[in-house]
Amino acid sequence: GVGPSDASPDEGVVEDLPLIDEKAVEQLTEGLISHYLPDLQRSKSALQELTQNQVVLLETLEQEISKFKECNSIVDINALFSEAKHYHSKLVNIRNEMMLLHEKTSKLKVSGINI
């Protein structure tokens, strides 16, 4: 088994390390943070701005899409109207033809009576 008498391979190495000065570590940490923090804060605000811009862009896109859908329905309505006009003109033509036929037949009847 491993007992206290067994020599550790790390023995002696730990003793060679100087004592860590906590104050120095604190100061180094603060220095490091103060060096990187402004950049990080700038990045954060830039990211927030980007996110806000994306939200605005998405809303605008949604509005444009709904406009496009409305335009499509308007195009459908226009097609419907042009179709209605087409059929209306067909009906007018048929009515005119019927009136002409009616005139012709009544003339024939009149001429038939005259004979």
Side-chain angles (χ1 to χ4, degrees), residues 33-49:
I33 287 171
S34 67
H35 179 73
Y36 286 109
L37 198 63
D39 283 342
L40 285 170
Q41 282 172 333
R42 274 196 292 274
S43 297
K44 185 186 174 185
S45 64
L47 276 171
Q48 282 174 334
E49 197 180 328

Side-chain angles (χ1 to χ4, degrees), residues 14-59:
V14 177
E15 286 153 21
D16 292 344
L17 286 172
L19 283 169
I20 294 163
D21 185 356
E22 282 181 29
K23 187 75 181 160
V25 169
E26 202 177 302
Q27 284 176 337
L28 281 168
T29 307
E30 278 175 19
L32 205 65
I33 287 171
S34 67
H35 179 73
Y36 286 109
L37 198 63
D39 283 342
L40 285 170
Q41 282 172 333
R42 274 196 292 274
S43 297
K44 185 186 174 185
S45 64
L47 276 171
Q48 282 174 334
E49 197 180 328
L50 190 67
T51 307
Q52 284 172 341
N53 288 344
Q54 278 184 329
V55 168
V56 170
L57 189 66
L58 280 172
E59 285 172 359

Side-chain angles (χ1 to χ4, degrees), residues 19-108:
L19 283 169
I20 294 163
D21 185 356
E22 282 181 29
K23 187 75 181 160
V25 169
E26 202 177 302
Q27 284 176 337
L28 281 168
T29 307
E30 278 175 19
L32 205 65
I33 287 171
S34 67
H35 179 73
Y36 286 109
L37 198 63
D39 283 342
L40 285 170
Q41 282 172 333
R42 274 196 292 274
S43 297
K44 185 186 174 185
S45 64
L47 276 171
Q48 282 174 334
E49 197 180 328
L50 190 67
T51 307
Q52 284 172 341
N53 288 344
Q54 278 184 329
V55 168
V56 170
L57 189 66
L58 280 172
E59 285 172 359
T60 310
L61 266 174
E62 279 172 16
Q63 286 171 359
E64 290 302 312
I65 287 168
S66 63
K67 278 184 199 171
F68 186 70
K69 282 179 182 170
E70 282 172 27
C71 282
N72 264 4
S73 59
I74 287 166
V75 166
D76 290 345
I77 290 166
N78 285 342
L80 207 68
F81 274 122
S82 63
E83 218 172 309
K85 280 180 187 171
H86 173 70
Y87 284 114
H88 178 259
S89 62
K90 271 193 169 186
L91 279 170
V92 168
N93 287 341
I94 291 168
R95 193 186 67 181
N96 290 342
E97 280 176 33
M98 285 180 81
M99 284 169 77
L100 277 170
L101 281 171
H102 178 70
E103 278 178 38
K104 281 181 182 175
T105 49
S106 50
K107 278 179 185 172
L108 278 173

